[in-house]
Amino acid sequence: SGINAECPLRPGPTVAKPFEHLPSNVVPVNYVLRLHPDLEQNTFKGQESIEVNVKESVNVIKMNSAEIEVQSAKVVINNAEVVPSNIATDANTETLTLTFGQSLPEGKGNVVLEFTGILNDKLRGFYRSAYTDNSGEKRRIAVTQFESTDARRAFPCWDEPAYKATFDVTLVAPAKCVALSNMPVVKEEIQDDLRISTYDRTPIMSTYLVAFVVGEFDYVEGRDENNVLIRVYTPLGKKEQGDFALDVAIKTLPFYAKYFEIKFPLPKLDLIAIPDFAAGAMENWGLVTYRETALLVDPLNTSSNTKQWVALVVGHELAHMWFGNLVTMQWWTHLWLNEGFASWIEYLCVDHCFPDWKIWLQYINMDFKRALQLDALDTSHPIEVPVGHPEEVDEIFDAISYCKGNSVIRMLHNWLGAEPFRKGLAHYLNKHQYKNAVTEQLWASLEELSGKPVNKVMSTWTSKMGYPMLTVSITENANGVRLNVKQQKFSATGDSGSSFEWMVPVTVITQSNSTPQKFLLDKKEDSFVLEGCKAGDWVKINPEQIGLFRVQYDEELLKRILPAIKNQTISAADRLGIQEDLFALAKAGYSNTANLLTLMGAYVNEREYVVLSSINGNLAELSSLFSHLPCSSQFKAMRRRIFSRILGEVGWEKRESDKHTDSLLRNMLIGALGKSEDKEVAEKCSELFEQHLKGDKPIPADIRSSVYLTVRQSGSEEDYAKLLSIFEKTDLHEERDRVQRVLGNGPNADLRSKTLDFSMGDKVRSNDTPFVISSCAASGADGRVQTWSFVKKNYSTFLDRYAGGFMFQRLIQVTCADFTDMEKHKEIEEFFNQNKAPSAERAVKQSLESIRVRSAWLERDGESVAEWFNKNGF
């Protein structure tokens, strides 16, 4: 069922799908592969000769194949051709079985196949895409996305990560097109209007990392300090939009080569922007594919936020060239290691390239926060979860694999120390290069080079779902100050019924001793002497928010730390962490929301972007929770009170002294005040919007998304039409993205309905549809109901478009998870009992649990929150 039966914290069972690994009696060694895509007919022809090692005498060869028609098959072994007596494909198991009338002898052989397939529109396997160039001409593209189990849609193969082989690829494409694969071209010839490109043999690698792209592109290029040729491919006429990503890649590749102590293993690296793309990017070895907004940067129209996103995604994918591609997980159970590691080191890399971005501080409000949110649910899963069927594999590409994975690695890095950690990694990569590995082998390398019990400590974090809450108090007497710590599982529902214990690396600083003291909490509760701590000192557990746990201070300790928040004697990360923990405690029922609102009063002098962004996000969630009650307007008033003064200081125009995070802060403040119906901000946004439309003065890219949001918030049909006009005229994907992510906002139900219909039309790319729908669901209580009705009505279309991919999970979560009443819970549960949700069963369960959590929260704290507002003059 994809769940560890021994796990005491196991979520409700997902329905087990029957699954069998391919037999290991015949294994691939090399694929000689020729593919000829037809961009007009959306089909392709293929031929392959797979060198195999027959390990024992067999009369059946089984491999993976899906949506492919095999025209002919034979095996050449000992210079003799053997034709199968039967060629059978099975759509359910996605396999191709060749049965022979005689036994094939042990030894080397070649499986030779001719086949045809379709360039599908499902954004997986070998699929089609297109863009319109500056002259209005449509340019067609054929591109691949094979992770996790879709190489089998392009060519029959052993499509499991452990079956590594080499690949000799030839692509036949229109002569006017660029044709790319993992390796450089070694031979090229033109026949009629076709270019036949043969590529160098790849290193030994897994099928999910093979890639092909055929289409018309421009590129910029450069070489890194190790002389690796790096190119960034863009749509025609947009090559200058590749400069920023090229610069990041040129800095990043040598950084990793030095960090891992292994040179980049390939002679070239291509990064390419694909118009229709389901994920953010994909780490195909030597040919990394990206969603346009994750790679292209327009010097005039790209925001600082998007530039930061591009840098992180480039950093993430290039880390995979070593961690994932050179050493690959044995099976998808170990996916977290691949993704968790790359999601951690992307921050290390961006911090190296852009030290003034405060990226590690932002990390706490991004990946770390998402990990804690999702893993508090009873419907979460362990980081390392046994999976079998492809649909189960798709389900674990989530915040646990990525965000909890990287949080655990960050905690480990801190515990071991930067250099022992780096040396352990280099040891692991060198030892297992060109092979497959499991989590325990990484722990073994880190243990060997650090001398610490890595496996013993880390297995408590990877094999069980959830994380602890540490309840802390202090005892002060003549013998000094003792810290009392007790652990229990933190649960989003407030039910900590589990008896499971973690081995928790605990770090503490105090008012009189800023040197971190480290303890290992390896039982249910313990107490520790705080060196250099005086009676009456504030105490901060988990400085810099490194440890993956929540902290519940007793009333006395919380009271002591408030002045340190107010006068900012504790760091921004610690100010952020205290507020985030108390918000989570209130949401789960361990504390009261009124206590949280009182705590927020201590942030009156706060000016750090990340801390203010966290407060804004939490107030926005509360505002959404209470959206149908009178105190909804009081939450808006509170946001106005906190943020309008700060916007007055920061101003609307970029200043010469501005840092990167000041640009992010300005945009956040305008958006927060726009959503909170601040009249002055609404008027200013309207004025900027009109100047922008007339061409007098473009809205600066850094605040454009918030200005659009605020203008749309007013709800006028005229402004809606103007935004649509911007969407239709621009050829910059980021600008279209800005517009489509705000269209559903505002109180007008007719315009929301129009937006929902628009989301399904041909002007919106299918990979963007969920974001447009999300804007309608996020508009308020009425918008949620309207959006859910729309999704139900069009469910069969969504199923056809997205089933089996993570876009489907995203769609379910944005439309279902934010309801607050149990009637809707019942309706959603009944709907999914009657309608299947392939690869999204877990997303359905998590959405239902989220509704239960929100409903209980509202019922528990509704009255006390109303009282708090009245008492505090809102």
Side-chain angles (χ1 to χ4, degrees):
S1 68
I3 301 298
N4 180 348
E6 287 81 49
C7 175
L9 307 178
R10 56 181 298 191
T14 14
V15 180
K17 311 272 191 316
F19 173 75
E20 278 179 21
H21 285 288
L22 292 171
S24 56
N25 49 16
V26 179
V27 296
V29 177
N30 169 261
Y31 294 78
V32 176
L33 178 64
R34 181 185 174 107
L35 287 171
H36 181 177
D38 184 329
L39 302 185
E40 299 299 320
Q41 300 300 317
N42 297 321
T43 57
F44 64 87
K45 289 187 291 203
Q47 298 155 313
E48 66 182 330
S49 174
I50 311 168
E51 184 189 333
V52 292
N53 187 0
V54 181
K55 291 183 163 183
E56 61 188 36
S57 178
V58 292
N59 67 346
V60 168
I61 295 179
K62 194 182 222 181
M63 64 188 90
N64 293 111
S65 182
E67 296 171 359
I68 279 177
E69 284 186 27
V70 177
Q71 272 78 44
S72 71
K74 64 183 178 186
V75 170
V76 180
I77 202 158
N78 297 337
N79 296 324
E81 284 189 7
V82 187
V83 177
S85 56
N86 190 37
I87 302 173
T89 53
D90 184 329
N92 288 326
T93 58
E94 299 182 343
T95 52
L96 165 69
T97 305
L98 307 178
T99 307
F100 299 88
Q102 64 195 79
S103 286
L104 303 173
E106 248 181 79
K108 296 262 187 232
N110 284 75
V111 180
V112 182
L113 301 168
E114 290 190 359
F115 54 91
T116 53
I118 50 166
L119 295 174
N120 68 65
D121 60 353
K122 303 286 193 287
L123 312 184
R124 57 204 288 233
F126 205 2
Y127 72 92
R128 61 185 186 262
S129 179
Y131 68 91
T132 305
D133 68 15
N134 295 336
S135 65
E137 193 178 334
K138 187 177 183 180
R139 308 283 181 171
R140 297 173 191 273
I141 298 167
V143 59
T144 56
Q145 167 60 39
F146 290 163
E147 190 178 27
S148 41
T149 56
D150 291 314
R152 63 192 67 177
R153 292 173 203 281
F155 57 99
C157 56
W158 277 256
D159 200 11
E160 296 183 13
Y163 289 113
K164 285 191 167 187
T166 55
F167 295 83
D168 294 292
V169 175
T170 298
L171 291 177
V172 182
K176 64 179 181 178
C177 287
V178 170
L180 302 171
S181 188
N182 305 79
M183 297 296 284
V185 172
V186 287
K187 183 182 161 203
E188 198 165 75
E189 53 185 302
I190 304 286
Q191 284 182 12
D192 302 325
D193 291 334
L194 297 174
R195 176 187 283 115
I196 301 165
S197 307
T198 302
Y199 303 87
D200 210 348
R201 176 170 289 188
T202 70
I204 185 168
M205 62 189 280
S206 301
T207 48
Y208 79 90
L209 297 165
V210 175
F212 329 113
V213 182
V214 172
E216 292 171 81
F217 299 94
D218 281 341
Y219 66 84
V220 287
E221 70 175 14
R223 287 184 182 269
D224 76 354
E225 64 185 50
N226 299 320
N227 209 33
V228 177
L229 178 65
I230 303 172
R231 285 180 175 172
V232 177
Y233 285 85
T234 73
L236 294 176
K238 292 187 179 180
K239 70 178 183 181
E240 76 287 347
Q241 291 181 23
D243 286 336
F244 178 74
L246 178 65
D247 182 48
V248 174
I250 283 172
K251 288 177 184 165
T252 297
L253 219 55
F255 171 75
Y256 286 147
K258 194 173 170 188
Y259 191 87
F260 297 133
E261 298 176 18
I262 299 173
K263 282 185 176 171
F264 177 63
L266 305 182
K268 65 91 177 174
L269 174 66
D270 297 328
L271 295 75
I272 185 164
I274 303 298
D276 297 282
F277 200 76
M282 174 61 211
E283 69 267 21
N284 315 299
W285 218 359
L287 175 54
V288 187
T289 45
Y290 293 79
R291 183 182 274 250
E292 286 186 345
T293 47
L295 188 70
L296 303 183
V297 168
D298 179 305
L300 285 176
N301 293 297
T302 291
S303 65
S304 299
N305 211 20
T306 297
K307 275 178 84 168
Q308 179 176 296
W309 171 237
V310 169
L312 284 167
V313 179
V314 170
H316 179 102
E317 303 309 329
L318 269 48
H320 278 311
M321 300 299 111
W322 288 263
F323 207 101
N325 299 9
L326 181 65
V327 179
T328 310
M329 72 227 137
Q330 181 72 23
W331 179 242
W332 299 105
T333 293
H334 304 277
L335 169 79
W336 84 272
L337 200 54
N338 232 7
E339 297 304 346
F341 179 81
S343 303
W344 169 77
I345 206 168
E346 71 186 59
Y347 286 89
L348 195 73
C349 158
V350 167
D351 193 47
H352 163 77
C353 294
F354 305 98
D356 61 330
W357 283 11
K358 297 185 180 176
I359 202 71
W360 277 119
L361 183 57
Q362 293 189 61
Y363 167 89
I364 301 167
N365 205 30
M366 296 194 294
D367 290 35
F368 188 73
K369 178 172 180 162
R370 286 184 64 212
L372 289 166
Q373 282 172 332
L374 183 53
D375 204 32
L377 297 174
D378 294 337
T379 43
S380 180
H381 62 84
I383 285 181
E384 199 160 285
V385 55
V387 288
H389 194 277
E391 280 181 19
E392 292 178 343
V393 176
D394 284 337
E395 281 200 69
I396 59 166
F397 280 84
D398 64 3
I400 299 299
S401 293
Y402 285 76
C403 302
K404 185 180 180 185
N406 71 37
S407 300
V408 163
I409 285 165
R410 176 170 168 258
M411 186 164 66
L412 176 63
H413 176 263
N414 182 262
W415 180 50
L416 299 183
E419 196 52 17
F421 180 87
R422 190 197 65 74
K423 285 197 158 120
L425 268 182
H427 179 270
Y428 164 81
L429 288 169
N430 273 288
K431 186 173 180 179
H432 302 288
Q433 57 184 318
Y434 302 107
K435 300 192 190 87
N436 296 79
V438 296
T439 305
E440 289 72 20
Q441 288 166 313
L442 175 61
W443 296 163
S445 286
L446 290 168
E447 201 157 293
E448 192 176 319
L449 280 112
S450 71
K452 289 191 178 175
V454 176
N455 190 41
K456 191 176 173 190
V457 172
M458 294 312 290
S459 61
T460 70
W461 293 93
T462 60
S463 63
K464 306 292 182 276
M465 67 183 233
Y467 56 85
M469 172 175 75
L470 304 188
T471 306
V472 296
S473 62
I474 52 170
T475 308
E476 295 172 344
N477 55 35
N479 298 324
V481 181
R482 286 190 83 84
L483 178 74
N484 310 309
V485 189
K486 183 179 177 182
Q487 65 161 300
Q488 66 187 96
K489 181 185 183 293
F490 180 85
S491 167
T493 57
D495 170 26
S496 302
S498 157
S499 60
F500 188 72
E501 291 164 25
W502 286 260
M503 295 185 83
V504 190
V506 181
T507 309
V508 187
I509 55 170
T510 67
Q511 194 166 343
S512 302
N513 186 0
S514 60
T515 305
Q517 294 175 66
K518 296 188 176 186
F519 314 105
L520 188 64
L521 178 67
D522 57 2
K523 46 182 176 256
K524 189 82 179 167
E525 54 188 300
D526 208 344
S527 70
F528 308 96
V529 174
L530 293 180
E531 303 291 344
C533 181
K534 296 175 185 162
D537 273 3
W538 55 253
V539 173
K540 173 68 179 68
I541 314 293
N542 202 17
E544 303 305 304
Q545 301 305 107
I546 301 286
L548 189 73
F549 49 81
R550 296 284 186 201
V551 178
Q552 183 171 37
Y553 296 96
D554 71 2
E555 207 174 322
E556 171 61 23
L557 283 178
L558 193 58
K559 199 165 75 182
R560 285 184 192 182
I561 210 161
L562 291 183
I565 293 171
K566 202 166 186 175
N567 61 30
Q568 303 192 347
T569 49
I570 58 171
S571 72
D574 288 339
R575 300 194 303 272
L576 171 67
I578 290 165
Q579 187 265 145
E580 277 291 334
D581 279 353
L582 194 54
F583 178 81
L585 291 166
K587 184 175 180 177
Y590 296 104
S591 181
N592 188 288
T593 308
N595 296 343
L596 170 73
L597 297 174
T598 301
L599 172 77
M600 283 181 176
Y603 291 80
V604 63
N605 300 317
E606 189 58 65
R607 294 297 177 271
E608 181 62 64
Y609 159 67
V610 180
V611 183
L612 290 168
S613 176
S614 159
I615 290 170
N616 177 48
N618 291 340
L619 284 174
E621 186 172 344
L622 284 163
S623 194
S624 156
L625 181 74
F626 290 91
S627 59
H628 58 295
L629 295 172
C631 54
S632 168
S633 60
Q634 292 166 310
F635 275 109
K636 287 175 183 168
M638 188 174 179
R639 283 167 94 187
R640 291 197 297 271
R641 188 184 287 184
I642 294 171
F643 297 128
S644 55
R645 191 160 43 92
I646 304 170
L647 181 59
E649 293 170 20
V650 172
W652 289 71
E653 303 278 334
K654 190 168 184 170
R655 305 161 298 188
E656 261 190 47
S657 62
D658 271 3
K659 300 186 287 290
H660 172 73
T661 49
D662 292 324
S663 300
L664 303 182
L665 175 62
R666 185 175 292 113
N667 188 52
M668 187 277 287
L669 291 169
I670 294 167
L673 290 164
K675 285 289 275 185
S676 305
E677 297 168 15
D678 184 292
K679 285 194 175 70
E680 281 180 34
V681 166
E683 283 166 15
K684 177 74 174 172
C685 286
S686 191
E687 182 191 316
L688 290 173
F689 188 59
E690 289 308 318
Q691 290 172 347
H692 182 75
L693 290 171
K694 285 177 189 161
D696 297 347
K697 188 181 176 189
I699 300 167
D702 278 336
I703 63 170
R704 206 177 293 174
S705 62
S706 284
V707 171
Y708 287 174
L709 175 79
T710 306
V711 165
R712 182 64 200 92
Q713 191 74 19
S714 71
S716 91
E717 292 197 30
E718 195 183 343
D719 286 340
Y720 184 87
K722 288 172 183 172
L723 280 165
L724 269 185
S725 166
I726 291 172
F727 179 90
E728 283 164 10
K729 285 176 184 167
T730 186
D731 69 340
L732 180 69
H733 189 77
E734 184 182 345
E735 185 72 349
R736 285 199 304 271
D737 202 45
R738 276 186 199 115
V739 173
Q740 66 194 10
R741 283 175 188 254
V742 304
L743 275 180
N745 269 286
N748 187 316
D750 290 342
L751 291 180
R752 268 199 306 270
S753 181
K754 199 172 172 181
T755 303
L756 289 165
D757 290 339
F758 171 75
S759 76
M760 303 292 283
D762 55 9
K763 286 178 181 169
V764 175
R765 293 190 180 277
S766 70
N767 57 329
D768 291 331
T769 298
F771 298 115
V772 185
I773 289 172
S774 175
S775 74
C776 297
S779 64
D782 294 342
R784 279 198 288 274
V785 174
Q786 189 177 358
T787 306
W788 168 237
S789 298
F790 178 82
V791 168
K792 281 193 299 183
K793 190 173 135 199
N794 294 281
Y795 191 71
S796 60
T797 309
F798 290 125
L799 204 57
D800 181 54
R801 267 196 198 189
Y802 302 123
F806 37 72
M807 301 296 287
F808 199 48
Q809 297 169 37
R810 183 176 290 157
L811 182 74
I812 287 167
Q813 281 161 337
V814 299
T815 50
C816 299
D818 287 342
F819 284 108
T820 53
D821 62 287
M822 293 306 289
E823 279 300 307
K824 269 282 174 285
H825 180 283
K826 187 180 173 194
E827 181 190 318
I828 291 166
E829 191 170 34
E830 283 174 358
F831 179 83
F832 285 110
N833 281 340
Q834 289 159 19
N835 296 275
K836 62 176 185 165
S839 79
E841 283 107 336
R842 202 187 296 277
V844 171
K845 286 183 177 157
Q846 288 170 347
S847 297
L848 289 168
E849 186 178 355
S850 174
I851 297 171
R852 294 194 295 275
V853 168
R854 287 167 68 82
S855 173
W857 188 13
L858 191 61
E859 195 177 325
R860 194 174 55 240
D861 286 1
E863 279 180 30
S864 59
V865 165
E867 270 173 41
W868 187 91
F869 276 123
N870 295 333
K871 207 179 350 178
N872 287 275
F874 283 93

